[in-house]
C-alpha cells in the first residue's frame, strides 16, 4: 500500500523513468515488457505478502501457546511455592522433633557415659588386681625357673664330672688291660720261644747223635767185617798155608785190596764228616732264620691281636663318645631353650613393668588434671554462687539452708578428693615398692641393674611425701 502511495505521489510530482527511458519514449514492446515485469513483481509481492501473513499468523499462534504455557507455569510455580512453604513448615516441625530426640539422646548418652566410666573404673581396678596377681605369678615362675636353671647347671656339672671320672677310669682300666695283655703275650711267646728253642736243640742233638751213631755203626761194621775177614783170611791162611802158596799170594792181594777198601772207607768217612761240618753252618743259619721268622710271626700275631682289641675298644669308645656328644647337644639345646625362656620372661617382665609404670604415670597425670580441673570448677562455682547470692535478695533462713546444702555437697566432694588422693598415693607407693623389690631381687640373683636396658622411674604425688611402710599403709598429709 505504501509503495502505491509513493507511486502516485511520484506520478504527481513527475514522470517515472524505466530503464533509463521515459514512458513517452518507450515503444510498445518495451511497455509490454515493462508491464510484464511489473506484473511478475506484483505476483511475487503477493506471494511474499501471503507468506508473511502466514508467518505472522503462525507467530501469533505460537505467542498465544507460549502465553498460555507461561500462565500454566506461573500457576505451577505458585503451587510449588505453596508446597515449599508447607514443606518448610513440616521441616521446621521435624527439626523441633529431632532436637527433642537429640536432647533425649544426649541425656541418655551422658547417662551411658557415666555408667561406662563407673564400669571402666571397676574394670580398671579388676585389671589392676589381675595384673598384680599375674605379676606375682610371673615372679614366682621366674624364681622357680632360675632355681631350676641353677639346679640343671649343677646337675650338668655333676654329670660332666662323673663322665670325666668315668672316662679317666675307663682309660686307666684299658691301659692296665693293654699292659697286662702285653705282658701275658710277651710271657706266652717267650715261653713258646724257649720251648721251640729247646725242641730245636733237642732235634739238632738227636740228629747229630743219629749221624754219629750211623758213623760209629758203619765204623764198627767195617771193623767187624775187617776182623771177620782177617780171621777168615787167617784161618784160610792157616788152612791153606801148607797147601797152596799161590793162594797166599792171592790172599795177600786180597788183603791189599781190603786195605785199599779200608782206606777208601776212611776217606769216605772223612768226606762224610767234612760234609757234616759243611752242612752244620747252613743248618745253624736256617735255625737262626727260622727263629727270626718265628719271632716276626709272633710279633705279627701279637700286633694283630692288639690291633683287633684296640679297634674293638675304639669302636666302643666312639659309640660312647657319640652318645656323650648327643647327650651334650641335648643338654645344650635344653640349656639354650631354658635360657631363651628366661630371656623371654625377663623381656615380658620388663615390658609389664614399663606398661604398669606408663599406666600408673598416665593415671596419675589424669587424676592430677582432673583434680586441678575440679578445683578450678569449684572455685568458679563458688565465685558464681557468691555472685548469685549477692545478686539475689534471699531471706536469711533460705540463705542459710542453701549455704548448708552447699557446704554438705562441698564436704562430700572434698572427701571424694581425699579418697582419690589417698588411692593415688597408695598406687604410687605400690609402684615404688615394686621397683625396690624388683631391684633387690635382681641384686639377690646377681644381675646388675645396668643390664635391665631401661632406668625405672619412681612416681611421686604432687605436694605429698610417701612413707616407708607397706603399700597398703600409705600415710598422706591431711
Amino acid at each position: 500500500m505504501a509503495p502505491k502511495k509513493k507511486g502516485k505521489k511520484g506520478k504527481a510530482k513527475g514522470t517515472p523513468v524505466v530503464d533509463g527511458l521515459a514512458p513517452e519514449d518507450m515503444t510498445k514492446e518495451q511497455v509490454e515488457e515493462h508491464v510484464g515485469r511489473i506484473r511478475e513483481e506484483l505476483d511475487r509481492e503477493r506471494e511474499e505478502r501471503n507468506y508473511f501473513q502466514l508467518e505472522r499468523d503462525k507467530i501469533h499462534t505460537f505467542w498465544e501457546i507460549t502465553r498460555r504455557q507461561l500462565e500454566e507455569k506461573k500457576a505451577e510455580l505458585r503451587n510449588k511455592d505453596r508446597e515449599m512453604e508447607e514443606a518448610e513448615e513440616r521441616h521446621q516441625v521435624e527439626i523441633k522433633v529431632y532436637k527433642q530426640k537429640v536432647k533425649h539422646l544426649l541425656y541418655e548418652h551422658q547417662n551411658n557415659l557415666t555408667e561406662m566410666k563407673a564400669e571402666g573404673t571397676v574394670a580398671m581396678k579388676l585389671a589392676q588386681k589381675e595384673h598384680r596377681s599375674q605379676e606375682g605369678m610371673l615372679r614366682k615362675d621366674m624364681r622357680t625357673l632360675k632355681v631350676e636353671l641353677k639346679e640343671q647347671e649343677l646337675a650338668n656339672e655333676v654329670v660332666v664330672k662323673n663322665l670325666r671320672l668315668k672316662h679317666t677310669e675307663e682309660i686307666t682300666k684299658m691301659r692296665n688291660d693293654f699292659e697286662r695283655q702285653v705282658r701275658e703275650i710277651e710271657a706266652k711267646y717267650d715261653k713258646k720261644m724257649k720251648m721251640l728253642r729247646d725242641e730245636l736243640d733237642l732235634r739238632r742233638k738227636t740228629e747229630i747223635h743219629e749221624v754219629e751213631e750211623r758213623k760209629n755203626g758203619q765204623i764198627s761194621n767195617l771193623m767187624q767185617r775187617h776182623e771177620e775177614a782177617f780171621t777168615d783170611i787167617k784161618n784160610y791162611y792157616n788152612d791153606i798155608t801148607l797147601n797152596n802158596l799161590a793162594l797166599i799170594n792171592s790172599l795177600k792181594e786180597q788183603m791189599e785190596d781190603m786195605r785199599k777198601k779200608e782206606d777208601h772207607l776212611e776217606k769216605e768217612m772223612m768226606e762224610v764228616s767234612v760234609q757234616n761240618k759243611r752242612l752244620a753252618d747252613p743248618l745253624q743259619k736256617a735255625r737262626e732264620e727260622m727263629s727270626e721268622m718265628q719271632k716276626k710271626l709272633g710279633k705279627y700275631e701279637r700286633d694283630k691281636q692288639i690291633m683287633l682289641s684296640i679297634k674293638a675298644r675304639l669302636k666302643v669308645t666312639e659309640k660312647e663318645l657319640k652318645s656323650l656328644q648327643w647327650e651334650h647337644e641335648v643338654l645344650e639345646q635344653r640349656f639354650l631353650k631354658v635360657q631363651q625362656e628366661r630371656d623371654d620372661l625377663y623381656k615380658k617382665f620388663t615390658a609389664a613393668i614399663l606398661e604398669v609404670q606408663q599406666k600408673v604415670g598416665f593415671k596419675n597425670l589424669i587424676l592430677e588434671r582432673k583434680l586441678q580441673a575440679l578445683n578450678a570448677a569449684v572455685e568458679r562455682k563458688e565465685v558464681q554462687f557468691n555472685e548469685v547470692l549477692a545478686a539475689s535478695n534471699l531471706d536469711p533462713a533460705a540463705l542459710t539452708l542453701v549455704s548448708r546444702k552447699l557446704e554438705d555437697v562441698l564436704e562430700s566432694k572434698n572427701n571424694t578428693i581425699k579418697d582419690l588422693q589417698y588411692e593415688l598415693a597408695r598406687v604410687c607407693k605400690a609402684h615404688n615398692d615394686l621397683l625396690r623389690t624388683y631391684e633387690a631381687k635382681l641384686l639377690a640373683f646377681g644381675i646388675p641393674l645396668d643390664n635391665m636396658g631401661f632406668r625405672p622411674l619412681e612416681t611421686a604425688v604432687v605436694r605429698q611425701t610417701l612413707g616407708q611402710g607397706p603399700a597398703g599403709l600409705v600415710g598422706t598429709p591431711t
Side-chain angles (χ1 to χ4, degrees):
M1 299 300 289
K4 288 179 180 179
K5 289 179 180 179
K6 288 179 181 180
K8 288 178 179 179
K9 288 179 181 179
K11 288 179 180 179
K13 289 180 180 180
T15 58
V17 178
V18 179
D19 295 331
L21 295 175
E24 292 83 7
D25 298 332
M26 293 176 61
T27 61
K28 185 180 179 181
E29 288 84 7
Q30 290 179 348
V31 171
E32 288 177 357
E33 185 179 356
H34 180 65
V35 169
R37 284 201 303 269
I38 290 171
R39 283 177 181 176
E40 288 178 358
E41 287 179 2
L42 180 61
D43 293 333
R44 188 170 63 250
E45 291 292 335
R46 283 176 181 175
E47 289 177 359
E48 287 179 357
R49 184 180 65 81
N50 293 328
Y51 176 75
F52 286 129
Q53 186 69 30
L54 290 173
E55 289 292 328
R56 184 180 65 80
D57 295 334
K58 191 184 291 184
I59 291 168
H60 183 69
T61 54
F62 286 160
W63 180 80
E64 290 291 334
I65 293 168
T66 306
R67 186 174 60 80
R68 284 196 298 271
Q69 289 178 353
L70 180 62
E71 289 175 355
E72 290 175 359
K73 294 298 179 181
K74 284 180 180 180
E76 290 178 358
L77 184 61
R78 285 193 297 272
N79 293 326
K80 292 293 181 182
D81 291 334
R82 199 164 41 250
E83 289 176 359
M84 283 179 66
E85 289 175 357
E86 292 175 357
E88 184 69 25
E89 291 175 357
R90 287 197 301 273
H91 182 63
Q92 292 296 327
V93 173
E94 289 177 357
I95 286 171
K96 289 180 181 179
V97 173
Y98 280 119
K99 282 182 178 179
Q100 294 293 329
K101 288 183 180 180
V102 167
K103 286 181 181 179
H104 290 298
L105 288 172
L106 287 173
Y107 179 72
E108 291 179 358
H109 177 67
Q110 190 67 27
N111 291 329
N112 292 326
L113 188 61
T114 54
E115 291 177 359
M116 290 296 289
K117 285 182 180 178
E119 291 177 358
T121 54
V122 173
M124 183 177 68
K125 289 181 180 179
L126 293 174
Q128 286 178 355
K129 289 181 181 179
E130 186 178 357
H131 177 69
R132 284 195 291 271
S133 62
Q134 287 180 358
E135 189 175 356
M137 290 174 67
L138 286 173
R139 285 180 183 172
K140 289 180 182 179
D141 293 336
M142 190 171 178
R143 285 196 294 271
T144 53
L145 285 172
K146 286 182 178 178
V147 171
E148 289 178 358
L149 182 62
K150 286 187 178 180
E151 289 178 355
Q152 286 181 359
E153 287 178 354
L154 294 173
N156 290 330
E157 289 179 357
V158 171
V159 170
V160 171
K161 287 181 181 178
N162 292 326
L163 289 173
R164 286 179 180 173
L165 291 172
K166 185 178 179 182
H167 187 63
T168 52
E169 288 177 358
E170 289 180 354
I171 288 172
T172 52
K173 190 183 289 185
M174 289 173 66
R175 188 180 288 112
N176 294 325
D177 291 337
F178 285 152
E179 290 178 355
R180 182 177 55 78
Q181 289 178 4
V182 167
R183 287 194 297 271
E184 288 178 357
I185 291 168
E186 286 179 354
K188 182 179 178 181
Y189 281 99
D190 288 336
K191 187 175 180 181
K192 284 184 178 181
M193 285 296 296
K194 188 175 181 181
M195 291 174 66
L196 186 62
R197 189 180 290 109
D198 294 336
E199 186 179 355
L200 290 174
D201 289 337
L202 182 62
R203 189 181 297 172
R204 181 175 58 80
K205 287 179 181 179
T206 52
E207 288 177 356
I208 290 170
H209 184 66
E210 287 177 359
V211 170
E212 288 178 354
E213 283 182 353
R214 285 199 299 273
K215 182 184 72 174
N216 293 326
Q218 288 179 0
I219 292 168
S220 61
N221 289 325
L222 287 172
M223 289 176 68
Q224 188 176 0
R225 285 167 59 191
H226 180 68
E227 287 177 357
E228 288 177 357
F230 183 72
T231 52
D232 290 337
I233 291 168
K234 187 177 180 181
N235 292 324
Y236 180 75
Y237 277 116
N238 287 326
D239 289 334
I240 63 170
T241 51
L242 298 175
N243 298 320
N244 198 356
L245 292 172
L247 186 60
I248 292 169
N249 292 323
S250 63
L251 287 172
K252 285 181 180 180
E253 290 177 358
Q254 289 179 0
M255 189 174 177
E256 288 178 357
D257 293 331
M258 291 299 290
R259 284 177 181 174
K260 288 179 181 179
K261 287 181 180 180
E262 186 178 0
D263 294 332
H264 182 66
L265 288 173
E266 286 180 356
K267 287 179 181 180
E268 287 181 356
M269 186 180 69
M270 290 297 291
E271 289 177 358
V272 168
S273 62
V274 170
Q275 189 176 2
N276 191 7
K277 289 179 180 180
R278 189 176 64 251
L279 291 174
D281 293 331
L283 180 64
Q284 186 67 28
K285 289 180 181 179
R287 286 175 180 174
E288 289 177 357
E289 288 177 358
M290 184 177 68
S291 63
E292 289 178 358
M293 292 298 289
Q294 286 177 352
K295 286 180 181 179
K296 289 181 180 179
L297 180 62
K299 288 181 180 179
Y300 173 73
E301 293 292 334
R302 182 178 63 192
D303 294 337
K304 187 176 180 181
Q305 294 295 327
I306 291 169
M307 183 66 79
L308 292 174
S309 63
I310 288 171
K311 283 182 179 179
R313 292 287 183 180
L314 183 61
K315 288 181 180 179
V316 174
T317 51
E318 284 179 354
K319 289 181 180 179
E320 291 178 354
L321 181 61
K322 287 181 180 179
S323 63
L324 290 174
Q325 287 177 353
W326 183 75
E327 291 177 358
H328 181 66
E329 289 178 357
V330 171
L331 291 173
E332 281 185 351
Q333 291 178 359
R334 290 177 63 188
F335 176 71
L336 292 173
K337 187 177 180 182
V338 171
Q339 192 173 7
Q340 187 176 2
E341 290 177 355
R342 183 199 67 184
D343 295 335
D344 293 337
L345 287 173
Y346 184 74
K347 290 178 181 178
K348 289 180 181 177
F349 184 69
T350 53
I353 292 295
L354 284 173
E355 187 177 359
V356 169
Q357 184 181 359
Q358 291 175 359
K359 287 182 179 179
V360 169
F362 184 66
K363 289 177 183 177
N364 292 337
L365 184 61
I366 291 171
L367 290 173
E368 288 176 1
R369 289 182 179 177
K370 285 183 178 179
L371 186 59
Q372 292 175 2
L374 289 173
N375 288 326
V378 167
E379 291 177 358
R380 286 197 305 272
K381 294 294 181 182
E382 286 180 355
V383 172
Q384 292 175 2
F385 182 69
N386 291 325
E387 291 177 354
V388 169
L389 289 177
S392 62
N393 295 320
L394 296 174
D395 55 347
L399 185 61
T400 54
L401 182 61
V402 172
S403 62
R404 190 177 297 165
K405 287 183 179 179
L406 184 60
E407 286 177 357
D408 292 335
V409 173
L410 289 174
E411 187 177 358
S412 64
K413 295 295 182 182
N414 289 326
N415 291 326
T416 305
I417 290 169
K418 287 180 181 179
D419 293 336
L420 290 173
Q421 287 178 351
Y422 180 76
E423 184 67 23
L424 178 62
R426 190 182 66 79
V427 172
C428 293
K429 184 66 170 59
H431 175 69
N432 295 332
D433 292 340
L434 177 64
L435 287 178
R436 292 192 186 95
T437 306
Y438 176 66
E439 291 176 356
K441 290 295 182 182
L442 288 177
L443 293 174
F445 285 111
I447 299 171
L449 298 178
D450 296 332
N451 291 334
M452 287 195 297
F454 66 95
R455 185 174 182 80
L457 298 175
E458 292 187 359
T459 56
V461 185
V462 180
R463 297 187 299 275
Q464 288 186 7
T465 56
L466 302 178
Q468 299 296 326
L473 301 174
V474 181
T476 58
T478 58

